[in-house]
């Protein structure tokens, strides 16, 4: 039996993103909802929100992302040995989205593709990435490449949470000798049982959310995952007294960008706890006696560390928020849209050799902080994604039309013997869309022309 050469520098070979062709402006949504100016744009830190009507579901948006990726990067379906999907948008309690994506493999004749869906709120995409990389790093690897698909349609009931929705899917090619090589075993993980955001009502797309608890859970997860990561960086990376200074860029899961500002501030707070006498923290010595548990509700402390970390935020994290600010929350895809944004906003000359850390959080909760090392040119990836250009190609619609689309999705959720009414002509070229659902809930899809 011929042995497969062990893979080295496993990680992201390429990445692409898909988001819908229409968006609603958050300033206009504030006015429509009758809330104070800045509630969504400053309070949440959001500018625009992508959405889709009844023509797109989780299977169609994932098919669009995968087929678009394969065409843009000229990858053959025959070369794929594993396909992992991370999503929390469920339209079937048994059949996985991955099996629907196998439709795209039919012409190649490749049906020997491992992997399946992974679900835990916004963390599923990260688990899918770990699964793919660990398969490639194991004796089970057969020499082929892997695809990781992560994304969701994030919708909320009418009310305060609705402006934090969005829609987007990422497709990632995992392989050896990658430009973004995963740093094994530098990974800090934190998991616990908590009811902060969950979806117990299977008859609805909408989640049940405890907003204040979710915010606290997010920063608690930052604390634990970051501390565990630094411990491994010291043990396996040979870094003495590790801190944020040893991370060049830090990408966060973004439910809304204001939460990311608080996330980076929390990193600074943890560095303070590890080295309170450092000159860096001369201005925050008054918080030395505050316990970690008390700190979660301390707004004065939070504001102080937001201010203290402002320059680090601008240099290390702000470039990763292009997509999040202009698309909204993509749940499992969010952190990878952050990576795509970073590659778009920061040229390879500045990224070369740098460490890019990723913080992934999924309610419930599951969280990890891990890192890549940029070891080869990322310019072609950024040029292929064309993120800024594609964001500018979208169509702005009124809040009234947005609400109409949300009502249509709510009304037709779990429908059978249904033909969608959304206008296919409004979709981007190359977009898969739902044609009909028959009496047995079987879904048929079409694709808009590429040109």
């Amino acid at each position: 039996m011929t042995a497969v050469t062990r893979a080295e520098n496993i990680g992201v070979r390429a990445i692409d993103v898909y988001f819908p062709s229409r968006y609603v402006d958050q300033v206009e949504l504030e006015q429509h909802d009758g809330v104070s100016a800045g509630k969504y744009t400053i309070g949440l830190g959001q500018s625009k929100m992508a959405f889709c009507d009844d023509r797109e579901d989780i299977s169609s948006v994932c098919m669009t992302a995968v087929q678009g990726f394969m065409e843009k990067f000229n990858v053959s379906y025959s070369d794929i040995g594993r396909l992992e999907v991370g999503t929390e948008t469920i339209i079937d309690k048994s059949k996985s989205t991955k099996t629907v994506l196998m439709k795209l493999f039919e012409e190649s004749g490749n049906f020997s593709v491992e992997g399946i869906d992974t679900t835990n709120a916004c963390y599923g995409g990260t688990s899918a990435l770990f699964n793919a990389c660990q398969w490639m790093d194991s004796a089970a690897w057969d020499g082929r490449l892997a695809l990781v698909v992560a994304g969701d349609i994030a919708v909320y009931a009418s009310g305060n949470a609705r402006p934090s929705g969005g829609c987007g899917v990422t497709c990632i090619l995992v392989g050896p000798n990658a430009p973004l090589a995963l740093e094994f075993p530098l990974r800090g993980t934190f998991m616990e049982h908590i009811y902060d955001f969950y979806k117990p009502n299977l008859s609805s797309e909408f989640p049940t959310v405890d907003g204040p608890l979710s915010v606290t859970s997010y920063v608690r997860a930052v604390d634990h995952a970051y501390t565990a990561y630094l411990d491994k960086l010291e043990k396996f990376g040979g870094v003495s007294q590790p801190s944020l200074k040893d991370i060049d860029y830090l990408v966060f899961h973004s439910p809304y960008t204001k939460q990311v500002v608080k996330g980076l501030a929390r990193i600074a707070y943890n560095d303070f706890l590890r080295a309170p006498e450092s000159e860096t923290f001369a201005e925050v010595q008054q918080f030395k006696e505050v316990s970690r548990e008390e700190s979660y509700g301390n707004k004065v402390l939070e504001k102080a560390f937001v201010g203290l970390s402002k320059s680090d935020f601008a240099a290390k994290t702000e470039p990763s928020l292009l997509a999040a600010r202009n698309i909204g929350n993509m749940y499992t895809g969010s952190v990878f849209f952050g990576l795509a944004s970073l590659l778009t906003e920061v040229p390879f000359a500045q990224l070369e050799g740098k460490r890019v850390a990723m913080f992934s959080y999924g309610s419930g909760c599951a969280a990890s902080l891990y890192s890549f090392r940029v070891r080869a040119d990322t310019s072609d990836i950024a040029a292929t994604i064309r993120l800024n250009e594609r964001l500018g190609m979208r169509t702005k619609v009124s809040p009234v039309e947005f609400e109409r689309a949300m009502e249509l999705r709510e009304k037709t959720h779990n429908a059978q013997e249904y033909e969608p009414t959304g206008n296919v002509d409004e979709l981007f070229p190359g977009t898969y869309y739902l044609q009909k659902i028959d009496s047995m809930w079987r879904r048929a899809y079409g694709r808009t022309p590429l040109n």
Side-chain angles (χ1 to χ4, degrees), residues 158-169:
S158 181
N160 290 337
R162 177 159 281 182
S164 60
C167 176
V169 180

Side-chain angles (χ1 to χ4, degrees), residues 46 48 254 257 320-330 341:
Q46 296 302 115
K48 301 174 177 67
S254 178
T257 64
S320 69
L321 294 177
L322 172 64
R325 187 170 286 114
N326 288 284
I327 297 173
N329 194 355
M330 292 75 72
S341 297

Side-chain angles (χ1 to χ4, degrees), residues 210-220 256 259 262 299:
D210 183 331
L213 182 60
S214 190
V215 170
T216 300
S217 180
Y218 183 103
V219 294
R220 271 175 50 80
Y256 47 89
Q259 182 63 56
K262 297 177 182 179
K299 293 299 181 181

